[in-house]
């Protein structure tokens, strides 16, 4: 590979941050969730993904109001975890680079975004 | 369908218990887990599956000794959740029938078993 | 355990059928899916679950019309697999008992049902 | 955020590539797999992840020899999909940047690596 295609530390840090986001989402999407079980699920999601290499901190907020609104319109008392019930921040450290990433709803979709890269 | 092929309440209770086991296993298998994060993951697994219909109680024990033994032989400080790290009991109630089911290691495999059916 | 709480073969067959349904749903829910990728995903779902013990046949139909209707209302060209896009039939054989189970939409929910138990 | 912390297109491309890898792994890890079902599962994994934004190509090879070796030592005829049975390449295009990433076994672990970043 040409020298100028070698990834920088900042690029690797961003790759690592993306892995954490994809992991978190696809491991836990589909989990049965209710307003009562949401806080412990959020804690488990944080701690699980923080086990992964270079992961400094994961913060998961379940949007309980959104969850309650959906359940109020249905006959069920739980639903499946999906992006519209989640706000997530993940911070990754790799070789001195710190990357902050976030997932939140935007125009009706849960978007994962790279917020900042500090070398 | 012939009348004698109509499921009994006990059979439906057993079907419901199986759904809970398959759900629990395939939702959470692959989750990054360490001895430190295992207890909160176990709690989240219990509460998530207890949301499902007819599910009275879920008890998840992560076999920490087995987990530590595996990590002691490796350079990693976490691994992926899989059957050999789990002991699970699930109790389902359906129309007056109580079904107790259990997953534990047997001959090197995690087996899911129907323990008792009480009508 | 009292003798009369020992599961019958038919009850065990129903438990096994439930395991397959829970496995299928929670393994694959959340998978990115489009009308183009749906048929091969359905095939992989069938073959994966047919690997499990006592599983005679799995038939997965992705409800393409429903999928296309949802995508027509959005700016995305794929979505996440969930129950409202699926019709599934699973047949389990256990010790001479044949159990037929089905998942389909009912009143807006994907319901898993035990259809028949033949001893 | 300070201007110099704004992610570059190359960094965003790397983040997107990481998302695809984490998604692929945690969506499909745990799937029941045999030498016979492996090829169709690999196809479904490729097509599913290729649905995600900015994803040009996904190539999944199931290491059949490794799978057969494991099954030869056991009484089962299938196992759960996990990293040691997989070789994966993912190519992402984002705003003119092309990122190539790969997962393969290294020292007994499945490592996800950023191979090259071409702007």
């Amino acid at each position: 590979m040409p020298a100028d295609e070698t990834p920088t530390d900042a690029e690797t840090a961003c790759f690592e941050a993306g892995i954490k986001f994809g992991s978190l989402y696809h491991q836990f999407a589909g989990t049965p969730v209710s307003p009562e079980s949401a806080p412990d699920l959020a804690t488990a999601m944080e701690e699980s993904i923080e086990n992964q290499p270079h992961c400094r901190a994961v913060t998961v907020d379940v949007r309980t109001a959104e969850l309650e609104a959906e359940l109020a319109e249905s006959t069920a008392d739980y639903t499946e975890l999906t992006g519209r019930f989640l706000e997530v921040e993940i911070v990754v450290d790799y070789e001195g680079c710190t990357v902050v990433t976030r997932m939140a709803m935007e125009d009706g979709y849960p978007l994962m975004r790279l917020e900042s890269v500090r070398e």
Side-chain angles (χ1 to χ4, degrees), chain A:
Chain A
M1 143 178 81
D4 62 358
E5 295 188 9
T6 306
T8 65
D9 285 345
E11 288 163 353
T12 302
C14 293
F15 177 63
E16 290 290 333
I19 291 174
K20 276 66 181 163
F21 247 113
S23 298
L24 181 143
Y25 195 84
H26 286 272
Q27 182 63 57
F28 294 102
T31 302
V33 66
S34 62
E36 294 71 34
S37 70
D40 285 344
L41 178 59
T43 300
M45 291 170 72
E46 292 172 350
E47 295 180 4
S48 297
I49 301 302
E50 285 173 351
N51 282 318
Q52 292 189 334
H54 317 299
C55 191
R56 192 211 286 176
V58 179
T59 310
V60 175
D61 287 316
V62 178
R63 302 173 71 212
T64 312
E66 184 79 13
L67 195 57
E68 284 168 349
E70 172 154 323
L71 294 175
E73 287 177 19
S74 96
T75 58
D77 49 9
Y78 75 101
T79 187
E80 294 175 26
L81 187 68
T82 188
R84 70 181 176 283
F85 302 125
L86 287 173
E87 285 180 10
V88 180
E89 186 186 85
I90 299 180
V91 182
V92 160
D93 282 330
Y94 179 84
E95 298 288 329
C97 296
T98 299
V99 169
V100 178
T101 60
R102 194 160 288 142
M103 185 177 78
M105 292 304 286
E106 226 160 289
D107 298 328
Y109 288 93
L111 287 189
M112 301 179 186
R113 285 230 302 219
L114 199 47
E115 293 285 304
S116 66
V117 180
R118 194 171 65 232
E119 292 179 73

